[in-house]
């Protein structure tokens, strides 16, 4: 029995509002690449753009992004007290010597953008 | 034999340029607290301010901050390629539903600031 096309596609395509954001990002000169990752279970790259996120390097970035988000989320749950009950990550910004990595987690996917602040 | 006062203090006091920053931070209404942590080996809280960073909760935050920085730094080394050889963290900004946690790592210490964007 085959899975209906509409259903099997639903989990791997990005929502239209995201498509618009991605198109905008690709147009930015300082954006080196973006990545849309699935959340929960094994991390998989749904979509990506930019040489920096291709092949083995892309898979390493995906693993790193997933690990950072998980460690932050687990940490937030550990320190959950009166002041931050049920707190969750909305946005992560990692400025390094060379780049800036921005991660925006949603319920079912993660959007990551690598940006060169010097360009 | 006792350790000379000047020497024993040198590793636990914060540099003067940091003191100035900390005084400024404490004056900000939206700042819930700050923490200065030692880097390398066992993480220890050199200095802190704010109820949110006191006692057990403070120690949990310290552990979380240390873990995040380490996992990001390790990840950066793993993905080290032509484009980002020797890359290192300069600044981390974690926006959650309730708060914003900013982490600024230096060679020997980490400065973390917890901030309430709604106030």
């Amino acid at each position: 029995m085959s899975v209906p096309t509409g259903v099997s596609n639903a989990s791997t395509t990005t929502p239209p509002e995201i498509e618009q954001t991605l198109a905008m990002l690709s147009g930015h000169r300082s954006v080196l690449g973006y990545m849309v990752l699935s959340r929960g279970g094994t991390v998989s790259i749904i979509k990506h753009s930019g040489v920096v996120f291709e092949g083995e390097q892309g898979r390493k970035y995906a693993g790193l992004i997933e690990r950072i988000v998980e460690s932050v989320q687990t940490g937030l749950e550990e320190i959950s007290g009166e002041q931050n009950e049920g707190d969750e990550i909305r946005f992560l910004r990692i400025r390094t010597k060379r780049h800036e990595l921005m991660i925006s987690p949603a319920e079912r996917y993660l959007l990551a953008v690598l940006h060169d602040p010097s360009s």
Side-chain angles (χ1 to χ4, degrees), chain A:
Chain A
M1 226 177 80
S2 69
V3 180
T5 320
V7 176
S8 70
N9 275 349
S11 65
T12 49
T13 54
T14 44
E17 68 270 24
I18 293 299
E19 286 297 341
Q20 209 180 337
T21 309
L22 296 182
M24 225 174 66
L25 284 170
S26 305
H28 264 283
R29 207 178 37 159
S30 71
V31 170
L32 300 173
Y34 67 72
M35 222 179 221
V36 182
L37 305 176
S38 67
R39 286 194 83 174
T42 333
V43 59
S44 69
I45 304 169
I46 297 175
K47 195 169 182 146
H48 77 277
S49 151
V51 178
V52 73
F53 285 153
E54 266 166 22
E56 182 56 19
Q57 171 107 327
R59 282 187 290 277
K60 281 185 183 174
Y61 263 108
L64 165 64
I65 291 160
E66 170 76 5
R67 247 182 308 145
I68 294 170
V69 172
E70 287 313 315
S71 86
V72 173
Q73 190 57 50
T74 308
L76 284 179
E77 282 154 24
E78 278 171 29
I79 54 173
S80 183
E82 282 166 46
Q83 267 204 310
N84 52 1
E85 185 80 57
D87 205 1
E88 54 183 48
I89 319 172
R90 288 288 159 88
F91 196 67
L92 262 167
R93 203 179 258 269
I94 301 166
R95 177 72 170 95
T96 68
K97 202 161 77 183
R98 300 183 202 274
H99 299 139
E100 187 168 42
L101 181 64
M102 290 172 278
I103 306 171
S104 175
E107 208 187 320
R108 289 170 54 198
Y109 59 86
L110 292 171
L111 170 62
V113 177
L114 192 70
H115 161 250
D116 182 356
S118 66
S119 71

